[in-house]
Amino acid sequence: MKSENPLALRATPLIRGAGAFIVLAGAAFFMGDYHNDVYRKLLLWVTLALGYNFLFGVCGQVAFSHFAFYGIGAYSIVIFLFQLHLPFPLAAICGIALCIAFALAVAIPSTRLEGFYLALVTLALGQLFIVVLNEGGTVTGGTGGIANYRLPEIYGLRLRGPWYTAVIALLVVATYAVLVRLDRSWFGRACRAVRDNPEAAAAMGVDVARTKVIAFTLTSVLAGIGGMVYAFVDNTVNPPIFGIENAFLLLFMVIVGGAGRHAGAVIGAVLLFLLPFWLSPLVGHHHALVFGVLVVAAILLEPRGLIGIYDRVADRYKGSPSR
Amino acid sequence: MQDFFELAVGAAASGCVYGLIGLAYLLIIRPTGIINFAVGEWAMLAAFGGYVTLTKYEWPYPVGMAVVLGLMFVVGWATERVVVRRLVEGGAPLLAPILALLGMLVVFRESISVTFPPDPHPVPDAFGIGRLELGPIGGTYQSFFTIVTALGVFIGAWLFFERTVAGKAFEAVALNRRAAALMGIDLTRVTALSFGAGAVVAGLGGLLVAPNISAHYLMGVPLAIQGFTALVIGGVGRVAGPLLGGLLLALAEQLTVRYAPVPAGYAQGVPLVLLMVFLLLRPTGLLKAKV
C-alpha cells in the first residue's frame, strides 16, 4: 500500500466496512420506491455473486444449486414463521440448519467423485427443487407461491422502506467481509490449491474432499441467508425466481466479471443486472441473447473477465507491471 | 395388460428419443471429455427446422428430414470450429469449453426465441396419424417409426465403432488423446466430426419427438436433462448404454404417471431423482466399459 494518503494507512477493515455500509445504505434514503426496489435486488445479486464466486472462482467447483439454496432460505423462513408460527430467531436458525443439511447431503457424496459430478447433481437438485415447489400444495403454495405476509416486528422494530434496504446493505458488506477474510486465511489458500491442482494440494496435506464440502456448505448457507432476506423484499416467494435460469445467470455474472476475484464478481453482477434496463429499448426481452454472446466471448477472448482487462490497462498506465 | 402394452410402446418411443440425445452426448464425451449441454438445444433447432421445412413449406418428409439433418451437421461442426477448437488447442482447462457451450445453449435458445413467436409450432408425423396393431402390441405410427429409426442409428453407431477404421480412430482418441495423436490420428478432425455427428443425432431425436410435444424454444433443457440421465443410467462405456438408460428412464416416468399415488407433476422429478441416485451410487452406469 502506498503512503500518499495518511488516512488510508489507518483505515482498519472495520472502519472501511462501516464506511462502505454507510455509503451503500445511505444511498437508499435518496431513492424513490421504484429505485429502492431495483437497488435492493441489485444488492442481493451482488451478495449471491460474491458467494458463488468463492465457490466457483476460488474453489473451482461448478454448482447450479445456488438459487435452490436461496429458495430454501426464502421458503423456509416464510413457512417456519407463518405456518409453524415459530419466533423469528428460531425460524432463521431452523432455515440455516435446513440449508446446512441439504448442502452436506449433496456435497459429501458428490465430492468423493472426481470431475463434473457436483455440477450435475446440483443441476438435478435445482430442477427437483422447482418441481417440489410447484407440487407442494398448501405448504409451498404451488406455482403461485406464498404471498400476503410481511416482516414481523423484531424486538418491537418494524423495518420498512429504506431501512430494510439498509439491512440488505449490511448483508452485502458482511458477506464481502467474511469471504475476503476467508479467502486470505489458510482455508482460502487451501481452496485455491484444490482448484488449481487437487493432487498437489493433497500432497501438501490439504484434505481435498473436506475443503470442497466446507466451501460448498458455507457458500450455500450464505445463499440461504440471502434468500431469507429476499423473502421480505417483495413479500412474496414463487418458484420461477429460484429456477435454473437464474443459476445460469449467476454463473455468467461471475465469468464475465472475472472468476476468482471479489471485485470481478461485483462488476459482473452489477453489469449483468443493469444491462437489461439499458438494452430493453433496443432488444426488448431478448437480453439473454446478449448474455450468452458475452459469456462465450469472455471465455474465448478474456478468460479472466472484465477485471482481467482492467488489470492489463492498469498495468500499462503504471508503466511497469507491479511484481 | 392392454393398458400396460400401450404404455410400454409409448415409453419405448420416448426412451429411444432420450437414448438418441444420450448418444449425442456420448459421441462428444468419448473423444473429447466435453459434456455438451447444448445437445438439447440442437434437438430444439432441428424441431424448428422440421416446422419450417415440413409444416410451413410442406416438403416431402424424407427431403425435409435430410435437409434438416444436413444443416444440423453444419451447426455442430460450426459450434466446434468457432467455440471449442480455440479453447482445446490453446490448452484451456476442460471446464472452459463446457462453460462456453453452456453459453452457446443460451445463444441457440434465444436466437430461436427472437426469430419465432413464443407459442408451440406443430411438426407433422412421418407417416401421418394412425395406429399400428401387432398382436397385443399397439401404438401410433410415429412411435414405431421412432423406435425403428433409433434402433437403426444405434446399430449404425455400434458398427461404426466396432467395424470401421474411422471408428477405431474415435476409440483411440477416447482412450488416450496424446497417444492417438502420436499414431497419426488427426485430433482436430475427430473432434469436429464428433460434434457434427452429435448434432445430427440430437437433431434426429428432436425431429422424432417434435410431433408429440411441438417445437418450442424451451424444449431443449428438459431434453438435455433426460438425455443426460439416460447416459448416466446406461453408462458412457458402451454405445448401447444411452439406449438402455433411455428405455429404463422412460418406463420409470410412464409408470410413475400411470400407477404411482403422487400428483402427475412429480413425474418431472423422476429423471432428476434417478440422475442424482445414479451419479451418487453408481456413477459408471449399468453397462461396464469393455477393457
Side-chain angles (χ1 to χ4, degrees), chain B residues 55-175:
Chain B
T55 309
K56 206 167 166 196
Y57 293 112
E58 296 181 345
W59 291 1
Y61 198 90
V63 178
M65 190 171 166
V67 168
V68 169
L69 294 184
L71 284 176
M72 286 318 295
F73 186 85
V74 176
V75 168
W77 179 84
T79 308
E80 194 276 340
R81 184 70 193 82
V82 176
V83 179
V84 179
R85 191 173 297 181
R86 289 182 62 134
L87 294 170
V88 172
E89 288 181 352
L94 196 54
L95 192 57
I98 294 177
L99 295 176
L101 286 164
L102 215 54
M104 287 309 291
L105 181 160
V106 173
V107 171
F108 286 136
R109 187 181 64 198
E110 296 304 321
S111 313
I112 289 295
S113 131
V114 168
T115 320
F116 293 89
D119 30 41
H121 294 68
V123 178
D125 289 336
F127 291 102
I129 293 163
R131 279 181 61 83
L132 185 65
E133 307 273 350
L134 298 169
I137 301 169
T140 59
Y141 285 159
Q142 185 69 16
S143 297
F144 284 105
F145 177 64
T146 303
I147 295 169
V148 170
T149 314
L151 287 181
V153 169
F154 272 94
I155 292 170
W158 182 80
L159 287 175
F160 173 75
F161 281 113
E162 292 293 320
R163 296 278 184 273
T164 65
V165 178
K168 295 285 180 207
F170 265 65
E171 279 303 300
V173 176
L175 288 172

Side-chain angles (χ1 to χ4, degrees), chain A residues 113 120 127 135 245 288 300, chain B residues 37 83 106 109 113 225 265 279:
Chain A
L113 304 161
L120 302 168
Q127 296 281 77
E135 301 298 324
E245 292 303 313
L300 287 177
Chain B
F37 283 108
V83 179
V106 173
R109 187 181 64 198
S113 131
I225 291 181
L279 282 174

Side-chain angles (χ1 to χ4, degrees), chain B:
Chain B
M1 219 44 208
Q2 188 72 34
D3 185 50
F4 178 77
F5 277 126
E6 186 77 40
L7 183 148
V9 173
S14 348
C16 284
V17 171
Y18 302 161
L20 285 174
I21 309 283
L23 181 64
Y25 278 110
L26 183 138
L27 287 172
I28 297 169
I29 288 178
R30 287 297 286 278
T32 63
I34 295 169
I35 301 175
N36 174 17
F37 283 108
V39 291
E41 307 309 311
W42 284 344
M44 186 270 301
L45 285 182
F48 273 90
Y51 164 74
V52 171
T53 57
L54 302 172
T55 309
K56 206 167 166 196
Y57 293 112
E58 296 181 345
W59 291 1
Y61 198 90
V63 178
M65 190 171 166
V67 168
V68 169
L69 294 184
L71 284 176
M72 286 318 295
F73 186 85
V74 176
V75 168
W77 179 84
T79 308
E80 194 276 340
R81 184 70 193 82
V82 176
V83 179
V84 179
R85 191 173 297 181
R86 289 182 62 134
L87 294 170
V88 172
E89 288 181 352
L94 196 54
L95 192 57
I98 294 177
L99 295 176
L101 286 164
L102 215 54
M104 287 309 291
L105 181 160
V106 173
V107 171
F108 286 136
R109 187 181 64 198
E110 296 304 321
S111 313
I112 289 295
S113 131
V114 168
T115 320
F116 293 89
D119 30 41
H121 294 68
V123 178
D125 289 336
F127 291 102
I129 293 163
R131 279 181 61 83
L132 185 65
E133 307 273 350
L134 298 169
I137 301 169
T140 59
Y141 285 159
Q142 185 69 16
S143 297
F144 284 105
F145 177 64
T146 303
I147 295 169
V148 170
T149 314
L151 287 181
V153 169
F154 272 94
I155 292 170
W158 182 80
L159 287 175
F160 173 75
F161 281 113
E162 292 293 320
R163 296 278 184 273
T164 65
V165 178
K168 295 285 180 207
F170 265 65
E171 279 303 300
V173 176
L175 288 172
N176 188 332
R177 281 184 75 85
R178 186 169 299 221
L182 291 174
M183 296 298 136
I185 293 170
D186 186 346
L187 285 184
T188 311
R189 226 180 90 213
V190 167
T191 310
L193 278 177
S194 76
F195 271 78
V200 170
V201 172
L204 182 62
L207 211 50
L208 290 173
V209 78
N212 292 339
I213 61 175
S214 294
H216 190 269
Y217 78 104
L218 290 176
M219 70 191 272
V221 170
L223 277 177
I225 291 181
Q226 283 158 329
F228 193 80
T229 310
L231 181 68
V232 169
I233 294 175
V236 191
R238 295 245 208 116
V239 172
L243 183 60
L244 175 75
L247 292 174
L248 287 176
L249 170 63
L251 199 61
E253 274 183 344
Q254 301 276 339
L255 290 176
T256 314
V257 173
R258 191 66 66 90
Y259 298 114
V262 293
Y266 275 120
Q268 300 163 21
V270 171
L272 305 169
V273 172
L274 282 177
L275 179 58
M276 288 177 86
V277 167
F278 269 88
L279 282 174
L280 297 180
L281 300 182
R282 200 179 165 88
T284 51
L286 290 175
L287 294 184
K288 280 231 172 63
K290 282 177 305 175
V291 182

Side-chain angles (χ1 to χ4, degrees), chain A residues 276 279-291, chain B residues 110 113-114 217:
Chain A
L279 285 177
S280 60
L282 299 173
V283 297
H285 290 293
H286 299 296
H287 44 79
L289 182 58
V290 180
F291 291 173
Chain B
E110 296 304 321
S113 131
V114 168
Y217 78 104

Side-chain angles (χ1 to χ4, degrees), chain A residues 47 50 171-181 184 262-263 266:
Chain A
T47 314
L50 282 168
L171 176 78
V172 177
V173 173
T175 306
Y176 182 83
V178 167
L179 290 175
V180 166
R181 292 209 72 151
R184 290 178 187 159
H262 302 288
V266 175

Side-chain angles (χ1 to χ4, degrees), chain A residues 155-171:
Chain A
Y155 305 119
L157 276 173
R158 190 179 281 285
L159 294 164
R160 53 171 52 177
W163 291 103
Y164 194 68
T165 312
V167 172
I168 303 174
L170 185 63
L171 176 78

Side-chain angles (χ1 to χ4, degrees), chain A residues 84-260:
Chain A
L84 302 177
H85 302 290
L86 298 181
F88 189 86
L90 192 59
I93 290 169
C94 288
I96 291 173
L98 204 62
C99 285
I100 293 176
F102 270 105
L104 290 177
V106 169
I108 290 175
S110 52
T111 46
R112 272 192 334 211
L113 304 161
E114 277 178 32
F116 209 56
Y117 285 97
L118 185 73
L120 302 168
V121 173
T122 53
L123 182 72
L125 177 78
Q127 296 281 77
L128 197 59
F129 179 64
I130 298 300
V131 172
V132 171
L133 288 187
N134 282 331
E135 301 298 324
T138 51
V139 178
T140 64
T143 48
I146 310 175
N148 291 327
Y149 60 84
R150 51 203 292 221
L151 187 66
E153 289 188 7
I154 303 161
Y155 305 119
L157 276 173
R158 190 179 281 285
L159 294 164
R160 53 171 52 177
W163 291 103
Y164 194 68
T165 312
V167 172
I168 303 174
L170 185 63
L171 176 78
V172 177
V173 173
T175 306
Y176 182 83
V178 167
L179 290 175
V180 166
R181 292 209 72 151
L182 212 57
D183 190 16
R184 290 178 187 159
S185 72
W186 67 268
F187 182 72
R189 283 192 291 276
C191 282
R192 284 176 193 269
V194 165
R195 174 194 67 187
D196 293 336
N197 192 337
E199 288 85 7
M204 302 296 282
V206 175
D207 187 334
V208 174
R210 201 169 62 184
T211 307
K212 284 182 173 177
V213 170
I214 293 175
F216 180 79
T217 310
L218 185 92
T219 52
S220 296
V221 168
L222 284 177
I225 295 173
M228 291 181 189
V229 174
Y230 167 75
F232 301 101
V233 166
D234 285 341
N235 281 331
T236 171
V237 284
N238 47 44
I241 309 275
F242 307 112
I244 210 76
E245 292 303 313
N246 277 338
F248 281 179
L249 183 52
L250 193 59
L251 176 69
F252 291 175
M253 284 175 170
V254 172
I255 291 175
V256 170

